[in-house]
Amino acid sequence: MNLFRKKSVTDILNQLESDQKDNKSLGKYLTQRDLIFFGIAAIVGAGIFSTIGKASADGGPAVIFLFIFTAMACAFAAFAYAEFASMVPVSGSAYTYSYVAFGELIAWIIGWALIMEYAIGNITLAISWSDYFTGLLDNIGIHLPQWIQMDYLTASRGYADAEALMLNGKTFDNLPLYLQHAHQAWLSAPQIGSFHFVADIPALGIIVLITWLVYRGMKESRNASNIMVIVKLAVIALVLIVGIFYVDTSNWDPFAPNGITGVLKGVSAVFFAYIGFDAISTTAEECKNPQRDLPRGMLWSIVICTIIYILIALVLTGMVNYKELNVGDPLAFVFDKLNLKWLSGVIAVSAVVAMASVLLVFQMGQPRIWMSMSRDGLLPEKFATIHPKYKTPSFATIVTGFVVAIPALFMNLTMVTDLCSIGTLFAFSLVCAGVLILQDKDIPRGSFKTPYANAKYFLPLITIGILVYAFTIKKSDTIAFITNAPEIVQPHDLVTSLNKDEATILLNYLSENDLIQTTEHSDDLEYNLTYLKEHSNADYDNVIAQSPLSFESKYETGFELFKHKIPLWIFSFFMIFFNIWAIRKNLSLIPMLGLVCCFYMMAELTVWNWLYFGIWLVIGLVIYFSYSRFHSKLNLDLEAK
C-alpha cells in the first residue's frame, strides 16, 4: 500500500465541480472585502488587548521589530498559502495542499495537526474572552465567584505556588493578583471528596453562542464578523488619536533596553496573534472568486494588522515606561493610569467584542478541515454532512463545539497557547515546503504565483551573517549554549523550589549583604530576588552564585538544562539541510524564508511543547493506520482500477 499516494489538482477541481452539481458543496458568499475583514477579525484580538503588554515589557519600544519579524514570517508563509489557494480553491487549507505536494500520510499528519491547532486555539480564545468578560463584569459591580471563572489547572497550580510563596515570607496581599484569585478559587470551590470543582463557565457560554452562529450559516457569520471588526477598528482609531497626545518620547529611550533577546522573548505570544490568516484559506470553497480574492485577502490582512500593531506599540510605550506594561490588559491599564477612565471602559467592552470575533473565525476553520478529511475517507462520512438549508458542515460544527467547550472548562491558558503555536508553525512549514517541492512540477497553476528569487544566492549569506553575529557580538552566550554551561535558576522557580530552612538561609544572606529593599517586603524572598534581577542580571547571578545554597538548588545543569536546547539544536541541523537543498535545487527564496522563519519560531518553543505535539501526532498515526488508510477514497479508487 502506497502511503504517499497523491491527489492531483485536476482530480480535486473535478470533484469540486461534481459536488456543486450534486448540491454537496458549501454556499458561495464571500468577497475580497469579506476575506480581509475575516483576516483582521482573526489577527486583531488578543495581540492588541493582551499579549502586546507582556511583549512590550520584555522588548521595550523595540517590540515593533518583533511585530515586523513575525509579520514577515507569516507573510512568507502567506505567499505559499496564497499560491496553493489559487491552485486548489477548496476547503481544507494546508491539509489539502499537503495531499497534493507530499501524499496521503503527510496530509493526514498535517490535517491532524490542524485539528489540534484550531481546537487548542479556540480553547485559548474562549479562556481569554472569559477573562475579559469577567473583568468587565467586575468593573460594573457584578462579581462572579472565582471558581466559575477559572480553569482547574490554573487554580490548582496557583494555589500550590501561593502556598509556597507565603511559606517563604510573602503575605497574601503581596501575592500577584492571579495567584490570589487562584488561591481563592481553590479554597472556595465546591468539593466532591478531594476533588475541587473549578470550571470556566463563561468560556463555555461563548463557545455555545459562537458554535450556534457558525452552524446557522456563512452569511450570518460574515455579517457578525464584519460588525465586530468595524467596532474594534473604531476603538483602535480612538485609542491612537487620544493616545498620541500623551506620548512622551523620553519613554522611547532606551529603545531596545533588553537587546534582541528581550525583543524575541515574546515571539510565541506575538505569533499567536498572527495565525488567524490561516483560517481564511479554509473558506476557499465559499469564495465567489477564490483564485483572485484569497491571495489578496491573506496578504492585505497581514499588512493592515502589522501597521495597527506597530502604531499601538509605539503609542503604548510612549505613554508609559515599558516596564509598567506587563499586565493582562495594557490598553485599559494605560488609560486608567492617565485618569481617562471613560476610555478604559470603552476598551474593555471592545476587547470582549474583539476576542469574540477571533473565536468566530477560528471556530469556522476547524469543521471545514474535518469536512475535507471526511470527503477523502480519512474520517467517518458523517463529518462531511452539509446542512441542506444553512449550507454549513453541520455535524462537524457541532462536534467542534463539544471538542472546544469541554477542555476550555479545565485547561490552562499558557499550555494551550504554545500548543496552538507549534501546530500552526508545523502547518506553515509544510505549506512552504510544499510550494518548494512543486515549483518545477508540471501541474495546473492558479492565477497567483509567488515571485521568484533564487534562494541559493541569499540563504547562505543569511546563514553566514547569523553565525558571525553569534560568534562575535553574542560569543559568550553562544559558547555557553554549545558547552551546556550551568545556568542560574530564575527567582520564581528558585523560591518555589526551596524548603523553609533553605529560604531562611537565603533571606539571611541577602540581609547580611544589604540586599533587602524595604521594611514592607523585608520577609518577601521572591520580591527581593526579582527586584535584584530586574535592576541587574549580572548582580543577580553573582549573588545567587555566592549564596550558601547547594549547587543543585542554584543552578540548572546537565540534561535538565540541555533538554530545553533540543529544539534549537534541531533547527541548527535543519539549517544545514536547507542550505544544501536551496543550492542544489535553485529553490524559490520567499517560501524558503517562510520555512526557515517558521522552523526557528518552533525552536523558540519549549521542549515540552514538542513532546506534547509529538504525543498528539502519535495518537493521529494510530488512528490513521487502524482506520483512515483502509477507508481512504484515493486508496479505494486505486484498488478498483
Side-chain angles (χ1 to χ4, degrees):
M1 179 180 289
N2 182 10
L3 299 178
F4 298 96
R5 47 184 173 256
K6 299 178 181 180
K7 295 178 71 173
S8 70
V9 175
T10 302
D11 288 343
I12 292 174
L13 296 178
N14 289 339
Q15 183 61 49
L16 177 61
E17 185 178 350
S18 174
D19 288 341
Q20 289 172 344
K21 290 180 180 178
D22 296 339
N23 204 30
K24 294 181 180 179
S25 64
L26 305 175
K28 292 185 175 292
Y29 303 111
L30 302 179
T31 64
Q32 179 179 313
R33 186 196 66 177
D34 296 324
L35 293 172
I36 294 174
F37 268 57
F38 271 139
I40 297 173
I43 298 172
V44 179
I48 285 289
F49 294 99
S50 180
T51 54
I52 194 172
K54 177 66 166 64
S56 297
D58 290 332
V63 73
I64 64 170
F65 296 117
L66 177 57
F67 286 115
I68 293 171
F69 168 73
T70 308
M72 288 177 61
C74 289
F76 294 145
F79 270 103
Y81 266 90
E83 183 166 336
F84 266 122
S86 178
M87 188 189 312
V88 192
V90 297
S91 295
S93 185
Y95 158 75
T96 302
Y97 309 155
S98 296
Y99 220 144
V100 173
F102 301 105
E104 185 171 285
L105 180 60
I106 304 300
W108 166 264
I109 291 173
I110 196 61
W112 188 246
L114 285 172
I115 288 174
M116 185 195 75
E117 171 201 334
Y118 283 111
I120 295 295
N122 293 343
I123 293 167
T124 306
L125 292 165
I127 295 171
S128 296
W129 183 90
S130 174
D131 291 343
Y132 282 110
F133 180 69
T134 52
L136 180 61
L137 292 181
D138 283 340
N139 290 336
I140 61 177
I142 301 174
H143 305 291
L144 299 178
Q146 289 295 336
W147 58 271
I148 70 167
Q149 55 176 298
M150 183 178 295
D151 64 274
Y152 181 89
L153 287 177
T154 295
S156 173
R157 294 173 181 175
Y159 173 80
D161 281 355
E163 287 290 307
L165 291 172
M166 287 191 289
L167 183 67
N168 292 320
K170 192 181 285 289
T171 64
F172 181 82
D173 290 339
N174 285 328
L175 287 171
L177 194 59
Y178 75 94
L179 287 183
Q180 291 184 30
H181 290 165
H183 194 273
Q184 291 169 353
W186 189 255
L187 291 181
S188 63
Q191 289 183 241
I192 303 173
S194 61
F195 177 77
H196 294 244
F197 183 82
V198 183
D200 198 337
I201 303 301
L204 173 65
I206 189 61
I207 292 169
V208 171
L209 177 61
I210 293 295
T211 301
W212 172 80
L213 188 61
V214 172
Y215 180 88
R216 284 297 304 272
M218 178 56 76
K219 284 196 294 185
E220 289 76 8
S221 301
R222 176 198 64 191
N223 294 339
S225 173
N226 290 350
I227 291 170
M228 288 188 281
V229 167
I230 291 170
V231 169
K232 66 182 175 183
L233 288 181
V235 171
I236 289 170
L238 180 62
V239 166
L240 292 173
I241 292 169
V242 174
I244 198 169
F245 291 101
Y246 292 88
V247 168
D248 179 358
T249 54
S250 64
N251 286 324
W252 291 338
D253 185 20
F255 197 73
N258 299 315
I260 189 67
T261 303
V263 172
L264 291 176
K265 193 173 180 180
V267 66
S268 174
V270 169
F271 172 75
F272 180 75
Y274 272 95
I275 63 177
F277 83 85
D278 166 72
I280 303 175
S281 64
T282 67
T283 66
E285 201 169 309
E286 293 149 289
C287 297
K288 293 180 179 179
N289 188 348
Q291 293 186 318
R292 182 197 68 187
D293 294 343
L294 269 172
R296 294 180 182 181
M298 290 181 189
L299 295 170
W300 272 115
S301 61
I302 290 176
V303 170
I304 293 170
C305 293
T306 301
I307 293 172
I308 291 172
Y309 276 125
I310 289 173
L311 292 176
I312 287 289
L314 288 174
V315 168
L316 281 181
T317 54
M319 292 174 70
V320 300
N321 187 281
Y322 71 94
K323 294 179 182 178
E324 299 182 55
L325 291 172
N326 190 11
V327 293
D329 53 348
L331 289 186
F333 165 79
V334 167
F335 286 99
D336 192 49
K337 182 180 176 66
L338 295 172
N339 291 319
L340 296 172
K341 296 187 183 299
W342 65 272
L343 187 52
S344 64
V346 171
I347 290 169
V349 174
S350 66
V352 172
V353 174
M355 296 304 297
S357 72
V358 183
L359 180 59
L360 172 63
V361 177
F362 273 59
Q363 197 75 346
M364 284 194 312
Q366 187 176 9
R368 285 152 179 80
I369 301 294
W370 291 38
M371 178 192 72
S372 297
M373 297 175 74
S374 175
R375 284 175 172 176
D376 294 329
L378 303 186
L379 288 176
E381 187 177 351
K382 186 69 174 176
F383 285 95
T385 302
I386 304 298
H387 195 284
K389 178 180 178 182
Y390 301 136
K391 296 297 181 184
T392 57
S394 51
F395 179 77
T397 299
I398 293 172
V399 172
T400 295
F402 279 102
V403 167
V404 175
I406 295 173
L409 291 170
F410 307 107
M411 288 190 72
N412 176 268
L413 184 60
T414 302
M415 178 191 300
V416 293
T417 301
D418 288 346
L419 272 175
C420 181
S421 293
I422 196 169
T424 306
L425 287 166
F426 183 67
F428 286 7
S429 298
L430 281 185
V431 172
C432 292
V435 168
L436 295 171
I437 287 174
L438 295 179
Q439 73 173 30
D440 295 326
K441 297 289 191 300
D442 183 19
I443 58 175
R445 299 283 178 177
S447 57
F448 181 86
K449 186 82 164 66
T450 303
Y452 177 81
N454 198 328
K456 77 176 182 182
Y457 298 121
F458 297 95
L459 189 61
L461 291 177
I462 293 172
T463 305
I464 291 170
I466 293 171
L467 290 173
V468 170
Y469 173 80
F471 284 96
T472 54
I473 298 175
K474 289 290 183 180
K475 182 177 179 180
S476 60
D477 291 340
T478 304
I479 298 300
F481 175 84
I482 294 173
T483 59
N484 201 40
E487 292 183 4
I488 297 289
V489 178
Q490 299 302 302
H492 180 84
D493 295 334
L494 177 61
V495 173
T496 53
S497 69
L498 299 177
N499 60 39
K500 183 64 176 177
D501 291 337
E502 291 171 327
T504 301
I505 291 171
L506 182 55
L507 192 63
N508 290 337
Y509 174 77
L510 295 179
S511 179
E512 292 167 3
N513 289 275
D514 296 323
L515 295 172
I516 300 296
Q517 300 308 315
T518 65
T519 303
E520 180 186 355
H521 298 287
S522 59
D523 294 328
D524 189 338
L525 181 57
E526 190 208 25
Y527 175 87
N528 286 283
L529 291 177
T530 302
Y531 182 91
L532 181 63
K533 183 171 179 60
E534 286 178 349
H535 283 74
S536 172
N537 270 323
D539 287 348
Y540 171 79
D541 289 351
N542 288 333
V543 167
I544 299 302
Q546 296 170 20
S547 71
L549 295 177
S550 66
F551 184 85
E552 292 76 14
S553 299
K554 297 185 291 188
Y555 289 96
E556 196 171 12
T557 60
F559 183 75
E560 286 300 310
L561 175 62
F562 176 78
K563 67 186 179 185
H564 300 300
K565 301 177 180 180
I566 292 174
L568 204 52
W569 276 113
I570 294 174
F571 170 77
S572 301
F573 289 123
F574 265 90
M575 275 299 292
I576 298 173
F577 167 74
F578 292 154
N579 276 275
I580 295 172
W581 190 25
I583 292 170
R584 292 186 61 186
K585 297 292 185 179
N586 294 310
L587 298 176
S588 178
L589 178 64
I590 289 178
M592 175 55 76
L593 289 177
L595 179 58
V596 170
C597 290
C598 291
F599 219 93
Y600 170 73
M601 286 192 283
M602 286 178 69
E604 285 291 320
L605 298 174
T606 68
V607 68
W608 298 115
N609 290 304
W610 286 63
L611 178 62
Y612 298 146
F613 183 59
I615 293 171
W616 177 259
L617 293 185
V618 169
I619 294 171
L621 289 175
V622 170
I623 295 173
Y624 175 79
F625 284 106
S626 61
Y627 174 87
S628 302
R629 72 185 184 117
F630 298 111
H631 294 81
S632 163
K633 290 185 179 179
L634 185 58
N635 175 53
L636 295 175
D637 290 343
L638 291 174
E639 288 182 351
K641 294 177 181 178

PDB file of all heavy atoms in Angstrom, residues 272-284:
ATOM      1  N   PHE A 272       1.145  34.005  18.003  1.00  0.00           N
ATOM      2  CA  PHE A 272      -0.217  33.513  18.193  1.00  0.00           C
ATOM      3  C   PHE A 272      -1.250  34.528  17.708  1.00  0.00           C
ATOM      4  O   PHE A 272      -2.314  34.165  17.225  1.00  0.00           O
ATOM      5  CB  PHE A 272      -0.462  33.187  19.673  1.00  0.00           C
ATOM      6  CG  PHE A 272      -1.839  32.663  19.956  1.00  0.00           C
ATOM      7  CD1 PHE A 272      -2.184  31.367  19.624  1.00  0.00           C
ATOM      8  CD2 PHE A 272      -2.801  33.472  20.527  1.00  0.00           C
ATOM      9  CE1 PHE A 272      -3.451  30.883  19.875  1.00  0.00           C
ATOM     10  CE2 PHE A 272      -4.081  33.000  20.781  1.00  0.00           C
ATOM     11  CZ  PHE A 272      -4.398  31.696  20.453  1.00  0.00           C
ATOM     12  N   ALA A 273      -0.905  35.813  17.822  1.00  0.00           N
ATOM     13  CA  ALA A 273      -1.831  36.856  17.377  1.00  0.00           C
ATOM     14  C   ALA A 273      -1.976  36.878  15.859  1.00  0.00           C
ATOM     15  O   ALA A 273      -2.985  37.363  15.342  1.00  0.00           O
ATOM     16  CB  ALA A 273      -1.346  38.222  17.874  1.00  0.00           C
ATOM     17  N   TYR A 274      -0.988  36.363  15.137  1.00  0.00           N
ATOM     18  CA  TYR A 274      -0.981  36.464  13.676  1.00  0.00           C
ATOM     19  C   TYR A 274      -1.568  35.257  12.948  1.00  0.00           C
ATOM     20  O   TYR A 274      -1.810  35.328  11.741  1.00  0.00           O
ATOM     21  CB  TYR A 274       0.459  36.661  13.183  1.00  0.00           C
ATOM     22  CG  TYR A 274       0.896  38.101  13.111  1.00  0.00           C
ATOM     23  CD1 TYR A 274       1.594  38.685  14.157  1.00  0.00           C
ATOM     24  CD2 TYR A 274       0.616  38.888  11.997  1.00  0.00           C
ATOM     25  CE1 TYR A 274       2.007  40.005  14.097  1.00  0.00           C
ATOM     26  CE2 TYR A 274       1.020  40.207  11.927  1.00  0.00           C
ATOM     27  CZ  TYR A 274       1.713  40.759  12.978  1.00  0.00           C
ATOM     28  OH  TYR A 274       2.111  42.067  12.920  1.00  0.00           O
ATOM     29  N   ILE A 275      -1.765  34.149  13.644  1.00  0.00           N
ATOM     30  CA  ILE A 275      -2.046  32.916  12.911  1.00  0.00           C
ATOM     31  C   ILE A 275      -3.427  32.876  12.282  1.00  0.00           C
ATOM     32  O   ILE A 275      -3.737  31.950  11.551  1.00  0.00           O
ATOM     33  CB  ILE A 275      -1.860  31.681  13.821  1.00  0.00           C
ATOM     34  CG1 ILE A 275      -2.868  31.711  14.984  1.00  0.00           C
ATOM     35  CG2 ILE A 275      -0.452  31.606  14.336  1.00  0.00           C
ATOM     36  CD1 ILE A 275      -2.784  30.489  15.874  1.00  0.00           C
ATOM     37  N   GLY A 276      -4.244  33.894  12.523  1.00  0.00           N
ATOM     38  CA  GLY A 276      -5.599  33.858  12.008  1.00  0.00           C
ATOM     39  C   GLY A 276      -5.721  33.815  10.497  1.00  0.00           C
ATOM     40  O   GLY A 276      -6.717  33.306   9.975  1.00  0.00           O
ATOM     41  N   PHE A 277      -4.699  34.325   9.776  1.00  0.00           N
ATOM     42  CA  PHE A 277      -4.839  34.339   8.318  1.00  0.00           C
ATOM     43  C   PHE A 277      -4.937  32.923   7.752  1.00  0.00           C
ATOM     44  O   PHE A 277      -5.513  32.706   6.678  1.00  0.00           O
ATOM     45  CB  PHE A 277      -3.676  35.093   7.666  1.00  0.00           C
ATOM     46  CG  PHE A 277      -2.423  34.272   7.480  1.00  0.00           C
ATOM     47  CD1 PHE A 277      -2.272  33.470   6.362  1.00  0.00           C
ATOM     48  CD2 PHE A 277      -1.402  34.310   8.409  1.00  0.00           C
ATOM     49  CE1 PHE A 277      -1.125  32.709   6.181  1.00  0.00           C
ATOM     50  CE2 PHE A 277      -0.256  33.566   8.239  1.00  0.00           C
ATOM     51  CZ  PHE A 277      -0.117  32.763   7.129  1.00  0.00           C
ATOM     52  N   ASP A 278      -4.415  31.937   8.510  1.00  0.00           N
ATOM     53  CA  ASP A 278      -4.509  30.544   8.080  1.00  0.00           C
ATOM     54  C   ASP A 278      -5.967  30.115   7.948  1.00  0.00           C
ATOM     55  O   ASP A 278      -6.325  29.340   7.053  1.00  0.00           O
ATOM     56  CB  ASP A 278      -3.775  29.679   9.106  1.00  0.00           C
ATOM     57  CG  ASP A 278      -4.077  28.200   8.957  1.00  0.00           C
ATOM     58  OD1 ASP A 278      -3.609  27.604   7.989  1.00  0.00           O
ATOM     59  OD2 ASP A 278      -4.790  27.663   9.807  1.00  0.00           O
ATOM     60  N   ALA A 279      -6.818  30.633   8.850  1.00  0.00           N
ATOM     61  CA  ALA A 279      -8.230  30.239   8.833  1.00  0.00           C
ATOM     62  C   ALA A 279      -8.936  30.730   7.572  1.00  0.00           C
ATOM     63  O   ALA A 279      -9.947  30.146   7.154  1.00  0.00           O
ATOM     64  CB  ALA A 279      -8.941  30.783  10.076  1.00  0.00           C
ATOM     65  N   ILE A 280      -8.430  31.810   6.959  1.00  0.00           N
ATOM     66  CA  ILE A 280      -9.057  32.336   5.750  1.00  0.00           C
ATOM     67  C   ILE A 280      -9.049  31.289   4.643  1.00  0.00           C
ATOM     68  O   ILE A 280     -10.014  31.155   3.881  1.00  0.00           O
ATOM     69  CB  ILE A 280      -8.342  33.619   5.267  1.00  0.00           C
ATOM     70  CG1 ILE A 280      -8.340  34.675   6.367  1.00  0.00           C
ATOM     71  CG2 ILE A 280      -9.014  34.177   4.017  1.00  0.00           C
ATOM     72  CD1 ILE A 280      -7.553  35.921   6.005  1.00  0.00           C
ATOM     73  N   SER A 281      -7.950  30.526   4.571  1.00  0.00           N
ATOM     74  CA  SER A 281      -7.822  29.556   3.476  1.00  0.00           C
ATOM     75  C   SER A 281      -8.854  28.437   3.575  1.00  0.00           C
ATOM     76  O   SER A 281      -9.146  27.779   2.577  1.00  0.00           O
ATOM     77  CB  SER A 281      -6.407  28.962   3.453  1.00  0.00           C
ATOM     78  OG  SER A 281      -6.153  28.219   4.630  1.00  0.00           O
ATOM     79  N   THR A 282      -9.416  28.209   4.775  1.00  0.00           N
ATOM     80  CA  THR A 282     -10.430  27.155   4.905  1.00  0.00           C
ATOM     81  C   THR A 282     -11.760  27.571   4.285  1.00  0.00           C
ATOM     82  O   THR A 282     -12.651  26.734   4.121  1.00  0.00           O
ATOM     83  CB  THR A 282     -10.666  26.794   6.390  1.00  0.00           C
ATOM     84  OG1 THR A 282     -11.260  27.904   7.065  1.00  0.00           O
ATOM     85  CG2 THR A 282      -9.365  26.422   7.073  1.00  0.00           C
ATOM     86  N   THR A 283     -11.909  28.855   3.955  1.00  0.00           N
ATOM     87  CA  THR A 283     -13.168  29.337   3.368  1.00  0.00           C
ATOM     88  C   THR A 283     -13.116  29.364   1.847  1.00  0.00           C
ATOM     89  O   THR A 283     -14.014  29.925   1.205  1.00  0.00           O
ATOM     90  CB  THR A 283     -13.497  30.753   3.881  1.00  0.00           C
ATOM     91  OG1 THR A 283     -12.515  31.683   3.394  1.00  0.00           O
ATOM     92  CG2 THR A 283     -13.502  30.803   5.398  1.00  0.00           C
ATOM     93  N   ALA A 284     -12.089  28.766   1.242  1.00  0.00           N
ATOM     94  CA  ALA A 284     -11.886  28.864  -0.212  1.00  0.00           C
ATOM     95  C   ALA A 284     -13.129  28.461  -0.996  1.00  0.00           C
ATOM     96  O   ALA A 284     -13.489  29.088  -1.997  1.00  0.00           O
ATOM     97  CB  ALA A 284     -10.697  27.993  -0.626  1.00  0.00           C
TER      98      ALA A 284
END
